[in-house]
Amino acid sequence: QVQAVESGGGLVQAGGSLRLSCVVSGLKFDDHAMGWLRQVPGKEREGVGCVGWNGGGSIFYADSVKGRFTISRDNTKNTLYLQMNSLKPEDTAMYYCAADPGVWCTSGWAGRLDAYGQGTLVTVSS
């Protein structure tokens, strides 16, 4: 059974930074591209970013976070990260880490991600 435990969310002022972490178990971590999804109540879940199995080679971001967010991973710790800088109120959401069935992120990556954890809440005040 795959489990993911996200952490690092919280309340931050606009312009601030947060670093999210996600520890994954029950999955051969380095056999999968990994990503972050986010969801606001009443809206569809959206992809934030995706990183290939080796941490490079294929990295994708949603247009809304390009240049502000950085996704990374540490395969020795089965951990996925999301560094979020220059946060905006519209970044407020529940953030989930998710696995891709393949090793690389590809076009349509957001629709391929499956989330396993309970999420971590990010709230950005204006």
Side-chain angles (χ1 to χ4, degrees):
Q1 183 178 355
V2 180
Q3 291 186 324
V5 179
E6 299 96 341
S7 62
L11 174 63
V12 64
Q13 287 189 330
S17 298
L18 285 173
R19 189 192 195 206
L20 306 185
S21 300
C22 174
V23 180
V24 179
S25 59
L27 182 77
K28 194 172 188 304
F29 191 71
D30 54 4
D31 270 358
H32 295 269
M34 297 293 298
W36 289 94
L37 302 170
R38 66 185 181 185
Q39 188 168 24
V40 175
K43 294 189 177 181
E44 288 191 3
R45 193 171 286 187
E46 66 169 343
V48 176
C50 181
V51 59
W53 73 275
N54 63 353
S58 65
I59 297 179
F60 290 80
Y61 295 100
D63 288 343
S64 58
V65 307
K66 279 181 184 175
R68 300 187 298 121
F69 290 11
T70 302
I71 190 170
S72 62
R73 62 191 293 164
D74 184 339
N75 289 347
T76 67
K77 298 180 180 178
N78 280 16
T79 302
L80 180 72
Y81 302 101
L82 184 69
Q83 178 66 45
M84 305 187 295
N85 298 330
S86 302
L87 282 160
K88 304 176 180 180
E90 52 264 42
D91 295 318
T92 295
M94 188 72 80
Y95 284 71
Y96 302 88
C97 75
D100 187 292
V103 297
W104 300 113
C105 305
T106 61
S107 60
W109 55 272
R112 292 167 54 88
L113 293 173
D114 281 327
Y116 295 101
Q118 297 299 308
T120 186
L121 180 62
V122 172
T123 303
V124 184
S125 63
S126 57

